[in-house]
């Protein structure tokens, strides 16, 4: 049952990632693309946690934690750039 | 301990620091303290002198790189003793003289430091017992003399003269190095002891002519022999104490010293005679002739020095033993009278404000005492009996008579020698008569008067020596000359007599012809000056500058061809070359795929590959829309770190994630200052070319990767995997490699990181850049500089991020993590605060000195490494043990953790120093664009 669920979820996440990519390429505005990147980060977190569940290990937890943190910083920096151009003022 | 030979050069080396500290005291105190250590060195030399007089060669050596035949070796034989006494004795007199010569504006400490540094270099040259070491000190004399000549750097002729001297003597030094290496190759040792014993071996070797020419090039350039003599007159732009020391007594004698030192090895052949004596003769005549026409006092003395150096070279070139003795004798005599003459010229310049002999007339009335001293010295230079110059000149004349190497033309040598003597008398006479008599001074800037009492003391001592040697030669100088000759000849010293009177003979006649002829030439100087005025004045400085500028132009043209500032061209050339080099071996590889079983492909990996490929393509396609390209690049970075995680490299995945975000922020900080839109620059042809190259390179790299990955690979990873726990005390192999197995590498890397960060800090400090008022689409920037939502969320993120950072740091030794990743996480957390709150807000709340952080990080890492020395272990040996505490339980402590702390601090400091300062470039007053413009 668990392996079926994992396979199903993985497929869904992959589709989500491809759709993110579609939005990233398609745009049309830069905000859309940044949003696509941010969602891609979130899907990556899911993928990594899923991989950890599948392998039965907690070894990948830190990577997911770091993507969560770094993804936020990256997105907020990109947005700040759009707002003010100047990141650190 | 002070009996060691090495202290003789070492004391002056320490002495270079003394004036730098002593210059804060009074000028006399500074001079006195400066003289201290060289004086002590002189005492050491005098202590050792009796041994040397007995014929002993005092030697001392230390291993340097014994595997390469390099050693730090010193020797004190007769020749070295003679030069050491000259260098230290005259050096001390010059220190005293310079005390009064330098003005208040000159930096006394700097001057003395250079002077003593030169003294050290010169002592090193004459005392070296190893040829490579000799060459090293030789180059040091060139460099320190450059510093001394250019001491008055505000004068253009000082800078140009110094550059010329350095170029000529430096080029000669390179030739000398080549010669020395060849000698070492022939003899099999660089030790002077071995080289001096293998004269026959070298002379009979096929490479002898090459060796001879190379070594002589070194000697001739240094000793200002024709055609390299022209740098010496231009070096007169130096302060006069420097001229008195370097350009009369010591440095220009280094070339002569080299010839004397290599005399037993290189002399005695037809080639030696031809090159050395003919060069010497030409220099002797040219110098003496030109000296007569110089109106500048120091110019006259400079050409006179050139001429006397030619005389010594000619003597050495003759190849007879007596001539070598005469050469050594003249070295001593020339040093004493020429140094005193330079000092006298300096006094005249100092007290009257001019060195032009057309202005300086009749100074006898104003400074009779100095005039007497200068006249005695000039008479010695002319070769007047009862003075030292007379004795060595007579020996010289006598030797020219015994010369028969030119066959039936041998009579020319004494004739030319006498002619040189005639001019030498004439310019000496001009020095005396023009300056001290010949009417009244014309338009002098100052009214001349006698110098301070102690400024004259060095001149008095030297002139007294001229007289003493001239009257009592055997008593004063006999022993020294004998041992020096013995050391130079490396064998029996011939019979010679230092008496003043040898009866009526040919040399005496030549002396009198020279005196009478000189007087005749001087009396008829008007005609001679008119004759000389017909020739166009060709200034060697202009020729030299023209050559330098031509070389510079050629190099610039070549550089513009190879390095035109176009990044596209560099990558085009580099990648093309790399492509050829990489593709070549692939042609020999028969099958691309190896036999290693392959992992089955799953859907997730395919998805990742698609994302990666399209992200990369999007970056390239949108390369002119920078923000979009940046977003596409972030996709690539994200997928790469996912791949690292999937293929068992969690450490790399964490590092990649952190580096990724820091890079994106860095890029955006720089993007702000760039134009918001990029024009299309590459022509279609160029795009096609670049696409072609990129495709081929990609294909080659892909093939290599595929071929590598399908083949079983044996590497040293197994060793690390096996020894990580037992040897380094950690289960995270990556971290153990970083902080333990390859700790020394890491120490180097964090040092480089720190230096790079400081370099960037220095580069961007005070930089002011254009700041755009609107974004790419022309919309003005938002007015809300720090949105509230962002500020609040970011602030609450900080403790969480720091906690994660601490966690990653602490567990690093056994689980994925470590100081580097933790450092990056901390930096990112702090940068987020900068982004959300701005510099001013941070400045008020967080006082972190990033430079101090870098410094302390590297210090901690280095000290951890040094710590192992206390336990008699090699640098950076790590230690670990397990402990037990109530509540905490079992835990491990390792010295590697302290090392990792150093890494952490350096990474945080460096990243923040770069990013925060790049961010601070924007000032508060930036242009505002109104909304309805």
């Amino acid at each position: 049952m668990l392996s079926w669920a994992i396979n199903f979820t993985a497929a869904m996440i992959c589709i989500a990632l491809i759709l993110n990519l579609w939005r990233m390429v398609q745009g049309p505005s830069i905000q859309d693309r940044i949003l696509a990147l941010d969602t891609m980060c979130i899907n990556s977190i899911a993928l990594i946690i899923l991989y950890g569940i599948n392998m039965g290990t907690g070894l990948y937890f830190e990577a997911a934690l770091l993507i969560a943190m770094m993804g936020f910083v990256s997105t907020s920096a990109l947005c700040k750039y759009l707002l003010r151009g100047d990141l650190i003022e | 301990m002070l009996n060691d030979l090495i202290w003789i050069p070492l004391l002056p080396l320490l002495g270079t620091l003394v004036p730098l500290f002593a210059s804060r005291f009074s000028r006399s105190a500074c001079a006195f303290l400066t003289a201290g250590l060289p004086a002590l060195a002189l005492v050491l030399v005098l202590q050792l002198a009796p041994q040397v007089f007995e014929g002993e060669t005092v030697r001392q050596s230390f291993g340097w790189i014994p595997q390469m035949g390099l050693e730090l070796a010193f020797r004190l034989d007769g020749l070295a003793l003679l030069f050491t006494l000259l260098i230290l004795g005259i050096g001390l007199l010059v220190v005293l003289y310079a005390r009064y010569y330098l003005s208040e504006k000159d930096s006394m400490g700097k001057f003395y430091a250079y002077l003593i540094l030169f003294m050290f270099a010169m002592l090193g040259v004459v005392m070296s017992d190893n040829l490579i070491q000799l060459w090293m000190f030789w180059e040091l004399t060139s460099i320190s003399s450059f510093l001394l000549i250019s001491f008055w750097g505000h004068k253009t002729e000082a800078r140009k003269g110094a550059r010329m001297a350095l170029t000529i003597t430096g080029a000669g030094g390179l030739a000398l190095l080549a010669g020395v290496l060849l000698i070492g190759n022939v003899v099999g040792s660089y030790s002077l002891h071995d080289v001096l014993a293998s004269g026959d071996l070298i002379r009979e070797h096929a490479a002898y002519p090459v060796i001879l020419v190379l070594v002589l090039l070194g000697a001739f350039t240094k000793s200002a022999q024709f055609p390299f003599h022209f740098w010496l007159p231009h070096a007169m732009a130096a302060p006069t104490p420097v001229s008195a020391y370097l350009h009369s007594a010591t440095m220009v004698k280094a070339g002569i010293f080299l010839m004397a030192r290599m005399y037993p090895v290189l002399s005695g052949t037809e080639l030696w005679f031809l090159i050395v004596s003919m060069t010497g003769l030409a220099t002797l005549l040219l110098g003496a002739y030109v000296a007569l026409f110089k109106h500048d006092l120091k110019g006259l003395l400079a050409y006179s020095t050139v001429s006397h150096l030619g005389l010594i070279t000619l003597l050495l070139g003759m190849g007879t033993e007596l001539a070598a003795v005469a050469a050594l004798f003249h070295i001593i005599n020339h040093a004493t009278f020429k140094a005193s003459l330079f000092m006298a010229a300096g006094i005249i310049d100092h007290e009257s404000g001019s060195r032009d002999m057309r202005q300086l007339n009749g100074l006898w009335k104003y400074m009779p005492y100095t005039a007497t001293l200068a006249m005695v010295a000039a008479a010695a230079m002319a070769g007047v009996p009862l003075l030292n110059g007379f004795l060595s000149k007579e020996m010289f004349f006598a030797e020219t008579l015994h010369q028969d190497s030119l066959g039936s033309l041998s009579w020319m040598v004494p004739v030319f020698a006498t002619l040189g003597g005639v001019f030498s008398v004439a310019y000496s006479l001009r020095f005396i008569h023009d300056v001290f008599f010949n009417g009244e001074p014309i338009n002098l800037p100052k009214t001349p008067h006698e110098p301070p009492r102690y400024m004259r003391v060095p001149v008095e001592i030297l002139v007294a020596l001229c007289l003493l040697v001239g009257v009592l030669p055997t008593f004063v100088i006999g022993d020294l000359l004998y041992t020096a000759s013995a050391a130079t000849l490396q064998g029996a010293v011939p019979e010679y007599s230092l008496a003043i009177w040898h009866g009526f003979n040919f040399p005496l006649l030549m002396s009198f012809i020279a005196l009478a002829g000189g007087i005749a030439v001087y009396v008829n100087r008007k005609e001679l000056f008119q004759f000389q005025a017909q020739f166009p004045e060709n200034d060697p400085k202009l020729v030299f500058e023209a050559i330098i500028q031509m070389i510079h132009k050629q190099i610039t043209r070549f550089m513009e061809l190879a390095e035109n500032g176009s990044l596209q061209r560099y990558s085009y050339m580099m990648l093309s070359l790399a492509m050829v080099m990489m593709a070549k071996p692939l042609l020999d590889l028969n099958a691309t795929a190896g036999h290693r079983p392959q992992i089955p492909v799953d859907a997730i990996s395919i998805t990742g590959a698609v994302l990666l490929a399209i992200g990369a393509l999007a970056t390239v396609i949108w390369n002119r829309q920078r923000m979009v390209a940046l977003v596409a690049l972030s996709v690539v970075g994200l997928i790469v770190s996912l791949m690292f995680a999937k293929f068992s490299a969690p450490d790399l995945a964490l590092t990649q994630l952190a580096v990724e975000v820091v890079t994106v922020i860095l890029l955006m900080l720089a993007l702000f200052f760039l134009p918001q839109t990029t024009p299309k620059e590459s022509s279609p042809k160029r795009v096609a070319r670049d696409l072609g190259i990129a495709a081929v390179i990609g294909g080659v790299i892909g093939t290599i990767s595929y071929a590598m990955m399908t083949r079983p690979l044996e590497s040293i990873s197994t060793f690390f995997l096996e020894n990580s726990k037992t040897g380094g005390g950690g289960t995270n192999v990556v971290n153990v490699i970083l902080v333990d197995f390859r700790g020394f590498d890491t120490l180097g890397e964090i040092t480089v990181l720190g230096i790079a960060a400081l370099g960037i800090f220095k580069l961007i400090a005070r930089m002011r850049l254009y700041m755009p008022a609107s974004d790419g689409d022309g919309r003005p920037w938002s007015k809300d500089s720090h949105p509230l939502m962002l500020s609040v969320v970011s602030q609450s993120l900080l403790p969480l991020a720091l906690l994660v950072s601490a966690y990653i740091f602490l567990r690093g030794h056994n689980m994925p993590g470590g100081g580097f990743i933790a450092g990056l996480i901390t930096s990112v957390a702090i940068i987020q605060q900068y982004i959300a709150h701005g510099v001013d807000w941070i400045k008020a709340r967080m006082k972190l000195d990033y430079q101090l952080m870098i410094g302390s990080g590297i210090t901690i890492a280095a000290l951890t490494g040094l710590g192992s020395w206390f336990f008699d272990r090699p640098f950076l040996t790590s230690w670990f043990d397990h402990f037990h505490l109530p509540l905490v339980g079992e835990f491990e402590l390792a010295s590697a953790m302290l090392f990792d702390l150093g890494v952490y601090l350096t990474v945080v400091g460096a990243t923040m120093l770069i990013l925060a300062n790049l961010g601070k470039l924007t000032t508060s007053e930036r242009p505002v664009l109104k909304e309805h413009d």
Side-chain angles (χ1 to χ4, degrees):
Chain A
M1 186 65 190
L2 184 65
S3 78
W4 186 87
I6 287 173
N7 281 336
F8 180 78
T9 323
M12 288 297 119
I13 295 173
C14 283
I15 293 169
L17 278 171
I18 295 289
L19 289 175
N20 291 152
L21 185 71
W22 171 255
R23 184 47 60 206
M24 202 282 289
V25 174
Q26 198 62 27
S29 76
I30 182 74
Q31 285 85 347
D32 295 321
R33 299 182 209 268
I34 294 176
L35 206 55
L37 177 66
D38 195 50
T39 322
M40 213 180 258
C41 284
I42 292 169
N43 284 322
S44 306
I45 298 170
L47 196 60
I48 285 188
I49 295 292
L50 193 67
Y51 189 64
I53 296 173
N54 191 24
M55 305 300 280
T57 166
L59 205 60
Y60 299 99
F61 174 75
E62 283 77 23
L65 183 72
L66 224 54
I67 295 180
M69 245 172 62
M70 297 299 161
F72 170 73
V73 173
S74 171
T75 307
S76 65
L78 284 163
C79 293
K80 179 83 195 296
Y81 184 83
L82 288 185
L83 267 183
R84 298 277 299 162
D86 188 4
L87 280 193
I88 299 172
E89 48 190 338
Chain B
M1 191 179 81
L2 276 174
N3 289 329
D4 284 356
L5 213 47
I6 191 171
W7 283 103
I8 297 171
L10 204 59
L11 283 174
L13 178 63
L14 295 174
T16 51
L17 299 175
V18 172
L20 295 177
F21 290 111
S23 59
R24 70 193 65 180
F25 307 126
S26 77
R27 291 158 65 81
S28 297
C30 179
F32 190 76
L33 288 172
T34 304
L37 286 174
L40 195 58
L42 184 61
V43 172
L44 290 183
V45 173
L46 292 176
Q47 248 182 12
L48 288 167
Q51 269 173 276
V52 179
F53 282 137
E54 277 163 28
E56 200 182 318
T57 300
V58 189
R59 302 173 74 215
Q60 191 182 21
S61 70
F62 308 89
W64 183 5
I65 310 175
Q67 295 88 343
M68 291 175 67
L70 286 184
E71 50 179 2
L72 204 60
F74 294 96
R75 66 147 62 205
L76 192 70
D77 56 5
L79 185 62
L81 179 68
L82 166 66
F83 272 90
T84 334
L85 290 177
L86 278 180
I87 294 162
L88 288 168
I90 298 189
L92 286 170
L93 294 180
V94 166
V95 167
L96 172 62
Y97 178 78
R99 147 75 183 84
Y100 294 96
Y101 181 85
L102 293 178
S103 76
E104 295 285 343
K105 277 175 283 176
D106 300 324
S107 162
M108 204 170 194
K110 204 168 91 175
F111 181 84
Y112 277 147
Y114 290 162
L115 197 76
I116 306 294
L117 178 70
F118 170 80
M119 184 187 272
F120 159 70
M122 205 56 213
L123 284 173
V125 169
V126 300
M127 288 180 64
S128 284
D129 200 15
N130 180 297
L131 282 178
I132 297 279
Q133 182 195 337
L134 187 150
W135 172 81
M136 199 184 72
F137 282 112
W138 180 277
E139 293 295 63
L140 191 59
T141 60
S142 293
I143 293 166
S144 51
S145 80
F146 170 80
L147 294 171
L148 281 167
I149 298 172
S150 62
F151 181 70
W152 284 328
H154 55 277
K155 292 185 181 171
T156 160
E157 71 258 28
R159 294 195 303 270
K160 283 194 174 151
R163 195 171 68 179
M164 188 193 280
L166 184 66
T167 313
I168 302 293
T169 55
L174 282 183
L176 175 63
L177 175 64
V180 162
L181 291 178
L182 277 176
I183 291 176
N185 213 11
V186 171
V187 179
S189 158
Y190 292 110
S191 170
L192 209 51
H193 186 72
D194 300 334
V195 172
L196 288 181
S198 17
D200 291 330
L201 181 71
I202 294 177
R203 275 189 294 265
E204 279 154 23
H205 199 272
Y208 170 72
V210 185
I211 294 177
L212 182 66
V213 168
L214 287 171
V215 171
L216 286 181
L217 268 177
F220 287 174
T221 49
K222 201 79 162 178
S223 281
Q225 295 296 302
F226 178 80
F228 308 110
H229 63 283
F230 57 87
W231 70 262
L232 185 58
H234 286 288
M236 291 299 133
T240 304
V242 175
S243 310
Y245 192 35
L246 272 66
H247 305 130
S248 67
T250 53
M251 190 178 88
V252 289
K253 298 271 165 62
I256 306 277
F257 167 81
L258 184 70
M259 284 191 270
R261 185 49 106 197
M262 302 309 283
Y263 191 82
V265 182
L266 296 178
S267 76
T269 62
E270 196 68 6
L271 196 63
W272 165 277
F273 166 75
L274 268 179
I275 302 179
V276 178
S277 64
M278 288 306 116
T279 309
L281 189 58
T283 316
L284 162 69
L285 281 174
L286 182 91
Y289 180 73
V290 177
L292 184 58
F293 300 102
K294 289 286 149 189
H295 299 303
D296 177 17
L297 264 185
K298 279 178 80 180
L300 185 150
L301 290 178
Y303 274 101
S304 145
T305 304
V306 168
S307 160
H308 281 275
L309 292 170
L311 189 154
I312 301 172
T313 306
L314 172 57
L315 278 170
L316 284 171
M318 286 177 181
T320 61
E321 287 153 350
L322 267 176
V325 177
L328 290 171
F329 191 26
H330 200 66
I331 289 175
I332 307 171
N333 295 339
H334 177 253
T336 46
F337 67 66
K338 194 50 72 64
S340 58
L341 277 173
F342 266 114
M343 288 180 186
I347 291 177
I348 292 167
D349 183 16
H350 202 254
E351 306 306 338
S352 71
S354 171
R355 294 197 319 234
D356 194 325
M357 275 186 281
R358 285 165 299 189
Q359 290 181 304
L360 294 165
N361 294 315
L363 288 191
W364 169 262
K365 264 185 280 180
Y366 301 96
M367 36 172 77
Y369 194 80
T370 309
T372 315
L373 290 174
M375 277 167 4
V376 174
M381 176 162 78
V384 171
L386 291 183
L387 293 166
N388 59 358
F390 170 73
L391 295 173
S392 47
K393 240 179 202 176
E394 254 213 340
M395 284 172 91
F396 164 63
F397 286 147
E399 280 314 301
T400 57
L401 287 170
H402 300 144
Q403 197 47 230
D404 54 5
S405 301
L406 286 183
S408 56
L409 290 179
S410 296
W411 59 269
M412 282 187 169
V413 179
V415 170
F416 281 132
T418 317
L419 191 63
V422 167
F423 280 111
S424 156
V425 171
Y427 67 67
S428 306
L429 205 56
R430 183 168 182 224
F431 184 91
I432 296 172
H433 187 255
D434 271 20
V435 176
F436 299 114
F437 305 101
N438 203 19
E440 278 296 305
I442 304 162
N443 287 333
L444 280 185
K446 295 191 226 172
T447 312
H449 56 82
E450 286 284 357
R453 175 72 197 89
Y454 288 100
M455 195 173 183
R456 271 197 322 248
V457 168
V459 192
E460 284 164 358
I461 293 176
L462 288 170
V463 169
L465 274 175
C466 289
L467 266 169
L468 273 175
V469 173
V471 179
L472 299 165
T474 321
F475 177 71
V476 181
I477 207 80
D479 284 346
L480 184 61
L481 186 59
Y482 184 85
T483 43
S485 308
T488 306
L489 298 169
Q490 290 284 309
V493 180
E495 283 288 317
Y496 62 90
S497 141
L498 281 180
I500 309 168
W501 181 251
H502 288 111
F504 289 105
N505 54 12
F506 243 122
L508 191 68
L509 179 67
M510 287 162 81
S511 280
F512 274 105
I513 293 176
L515 275 173
I519 295 170
V521 166
Y522 181 70
V523 170
N524 298 309
R525 64 188 182 280
K526 284 227 169 64
E527 284 75 19
L528 205 61
F529 272 70
Q530 270 166 15
F531 171 71
Q532 183 61 21
Q534 299 166 15
F535 299 104
E537 182 109 19
N538 72 331
D539 191 347
K541 188 162 79 180
L542 295 180
V543 180
F544 177 81
E545 285 295 321
I547 293 175
I548 293 282
Q549 279 179 17
M550 193 196 71
I551 294 173
H552 187 253
K553 224 152 102 190
Q554 296 292 335
I555 301 272
T556 315
R557 258 177 47 195
F558 173 75
M559 290 291 280
E560 274 165 2
L561 270 179
E563 192 187 329
N564 65 347
S566 158
L567 216 53
Q568 285 93 333
R569 170 181 280 204
Y570 299 160
S571 17
Y572 159 64
M573 293 205 290
M574 202 181 80
L575 288 176
S576 307
L577 190 69
M579 183 174 73
V580 174
M581 305 294 267
M582 287 189 304
K584 181 86 186 34
L586 284 185
L587 297 178
D588 302 331
L589 194 68
N590 291 326
T592 316
H595 304 296
R596 199 167 161 192
Q598 299 187 10
I599 309 168
V601 189
D602 56 54
I604 301 178
S605 303
I606 292 177
T607 315
V610 168
L611 261 65
L612 191 68
I614 293 183
L617 273 176
T619 314
V620 175
I621 290 168
W622 285 323
N623 74 82
R624 290 187 298 115
Q625 287 164 276
R626 290 174 174 149
M627 274 304 276
V628 183
L630 206 55
V631 173
L633 196 63
S634 300
V635 173
V636 177
L638 180 68
I639 304 299
V640 167
S641 40
L642 286 182
M643 291 222 169
F644 281 142
K646 164 118 196 336
F647 295 109
S648 345
D651 275 278
L652 278 184
L654 297 182
T655 314
Q656 169 69 28
L657 278 168
V659 168
E660 180 69 23
V661 66
V662 171
T663 315
V664 167
I665 291 173
L666 180 73
L667 283 175
M668 273 192 290
L669 281 171
L671 269 190
F672 178 56
F673 300 109
L674 297 178
Q676 295 296 301
T677 48
T678 327
K680 194 169 182 146
E681 276 169 355
S682 303
S683 62
K685 213 170 111 190
R686 188 170 208 165
V687 172
R689 180 197 76 182
D690 293 349
L691 265 179
I693 293 176
V696 178
I697 291 260
V700 169
I701 296 281
T703 314
I704 292 177
S705 311
Y706 187 69
M708 291 272 291
M709 284 189 288
T710 48
R711 284 172 168 75
L713 185 68
E714 277 297 316
S715 75
I716 53 169
S717 336
T718 345
F719 168 82
F720 290 132
L721 285 172
E722 278 165 6
N723 289 285
S724 163
K725 180 74 184 161
T726 48
T731 49
N732 179 7
V733 186
V734 178
N735 187 263
V736 173
I737 289 176
L738 281 178
V739 298
D740 193 327
F741 291 135
R742 309 285 295 270
F744 200 58
D745 280 4
T746 310
L747 183 63
E749 280 156 13
I750 58 171
T751 313
V752 170
L753 184 69
I755 293 170
L758 290 173
I760 292 172
F761 173 61
K762 181 83 188 148
L763 267 178
I764 61 178
R766 295 174 184 225
M767 195 156 74
R768 284 287 167 265
L769 294 169
Y770 164 76
M771 282 180 288
S774 62
D775 68 3
D777 300 328
R779 278 173 304 204
W781 302 120
S782 154
K783 288 209 186 70
D784 187 7
S785 60
H786 304 297
L788 185 64
M789 288 284 278
L790 183 62
S791 308
V792 173
V793 176
S794 299
Q795 213 168 327
S796 56
L797 184 72
L798 182 66
L800 285 173
L802 290 181
L803 192 65
V804 172
S805 171
Y807 169 66
I808 296 272
F809 175 79
L810 287 174
R811 70 171 212 159
H813 212 47
N814 289 315
M815 302 285 275
F820 187 74
I821 305 172
L824 282 173
I825 296 173
T826 307
S827 312
V828 169
I830 301 174
I831 290 166
Q832 179 66 21
Q833 306 312 309
Y834 271 102
I835 293 175
H837 297 287
V839 177
D840 294 331
W841 190 88
I842 300 280
K843 212 184 253 171
R845 286 166 180 78
M846 203 162 63
K847 288 183 180 53
L848 282 180
D849 184 345
Y850 301 126
Q851 277 124 301
L852 192 73
M853 251 172 134
I854 297 176
S856 52
I858 295 173
T859 314
I860 289 176
L863 284 181
T864 313
L866 288 176
S868 46
W869 281 358
F870 288 104
F871 303 96
D872 282 333
R873 296 286 161 81
F875 186 64
L876 269 176
T877 310
S878 70
W879 160 93
F880 63 92
D881 208 346
H882 293 264
F883 296 91
H884 192 87
L885 268 185
L887 278 178
V888 181
E890 172 109 359
F891 67 101
E892 183 191 346
L893 273 183
S895 66
M897 188 160 271
L898 210 56
F899 185 81
D900 223 11
L901 181 68
V903 176
Y904 170 83
L905 285 174
T906 314
V907 169
V908 175
T911 317
M912 290 312 301
L913 192 64
I914 296 170
L915 290 183
N917 280 295
L918 206 56
K920 279 181 204 163
L921 281 182
T922 54
T923 49
S924 48
E925 60 269 5
R926 62 184 197 178
V928 183
L929 196 74
K930 294 215 176 79
E931 290 210 18
H932 297 290
D933 272 354

